[in-house]
Amino acid sequence: MSLVNSESHLRTATVTSTQKSILLSINKDSFQTLFGHNNNVLAEFEIRLLKNEAKLQHILAHSLGIVSFREFLEAEHAGENIDFWVAVTDFQANEEDGMDKRTELAKHIFVTFCANYADRQVNLPHRILADIDKRLHSGSISPDLFDAARQEIFRLLERDKFDRYKKSANFKEEFLGRLGIL
């Protein structure tokens, strides 16, 4: 797989294949039209191009990537972080849910991951927790309720865990190997 990005309309390439292959040559707009609605396909495209240089957002957008990263985090005793990130992503994606369901889900996420007594408590700054708690109690529950917390957990995963993950067997053998990238 290769990506050619140029301003000129003339491009040449040599493709060598050991199996039956299809060569697809499309412009950026056509690529977005064909694949833009499928985050898994877009993530896999980026991962195949970047390989070991793949970014956390690409792994989290890929169904196998998120499973592999979660397995790694569980072994590191940090699985609650990815579970929180997924729960909040789902919470934000379901904007059409009624207010009662949204409130119930928000409270469940808070009790499970944010409260002082939570079994799977994530490490968040007090100011973020206080803001979420205040909004929950005031009834100000919108899709952006957990934005700051989600961004904080993403930064924590990216800074503290992702480089180790990319050096692990979970990434190299189980994830890239399953995709046939190695």
Side-chain angles (χ1 to χ4, degrees):
M1 180 176 287
S2 66
L3 175 66
V4 178
N5 188 8
S6 72
E7 296 299 317
S8 89
H9 295 288
L10 291 173
R11 295 182 213 140
T12 61
T14 302
V15 178
T16 306
S17 176
T18 59
Q19 302 173 16
K20 286 186 177 183
S21 301
I22 296 173
L23 179 62
L24 175 64
S25 176
I26 58 175
N27 64 26
K28 183 178 180 179
D29 292 336
S30 296
F31 183 87
Q32 284 297 329
T33 300
L34 289 171
F35 304 112
H37 63 282
N38 189 329
N39 288 337
N40 206 54
V41 169
L42 292 174
E44 186 163 332
F45 184 80
E46 293 285 347
I47 292 163
R48 286 181 179 281
L49 283 175
L50 298 171
K51 296 180 178 134
N52 286 333
E53 300 302 315
K55 306 279 187 227
L56 179 57
Q57 62 263 26
H58 303 133
I59 303 301
L60 294 177
H62 194 282
S63 57
L64 292 176
I66 204 163
V67 169
S68 171
F69 191 46
R70 186 181 190 291
E71 289 171 359
F72 171 80
L73 290 173
E74 282 296 329
E76 295 259 320
H77 306 289
E80 68 279 356
N81 292 300
I82 194 74
D83 292 343
F84 173 77
W85 190 89
V86 168
V88 171
T89 300
D90 291 345
F91 172 81
Q92 292 173 331
N94 293 320
E95 290 187 49
E96 67 277 352
D97 286 347
M99 190 54 135
D100 289 342
K101 187 173 181 180
R102 178 172 293 288
T103 300
E104 182 182 322
L105 184 54
K107 287 180 180 179
H108 175 74
I109 291 170
F110 188 82
V111 167
T112 304
F113 299 105
C114 301
N116 287 332
Y117 51 84
D119 290 335
R120 299 189 46 83
Q121 187 177 22
V122 292
N123 187 12
L124 292 168
H126 176 73
R127 66 176 170 70
I128 292 175
L129 291 172
D131 181 56
I132 294 169
D133 191 39
K134 178 182 173 187
R135 289 179 64 188
L136 276 173
H137 284 88
S138 72
S140 178
I141 299 170
S142 60
D144 69 345
L145 175 65
F146 294 102
D147 275 0
R150 184 175 181 262
Q151 291 168 4
E152 181 68 24
I153 292 301
F154 183 90
R155 279 191 295 274
L156 178 117
L157 290 171
E158 191 172 47
R159 183 182 63 238
D160 296 343
K161 302 293 182 189
F162 191 57
D163 283 338
R164 281 201 308 272
Y165 167 67
K166 289 197 314 185
K167 294 174 185 169
S168 74
N170 287 79
F171 178 71
K172 292 180 179 176
E173 295 164 18
E174 294 178 28
F175 180 58
L176 293 181
R178 280 173 110 181
L179 292 179
I181 294 175
L182 287 177

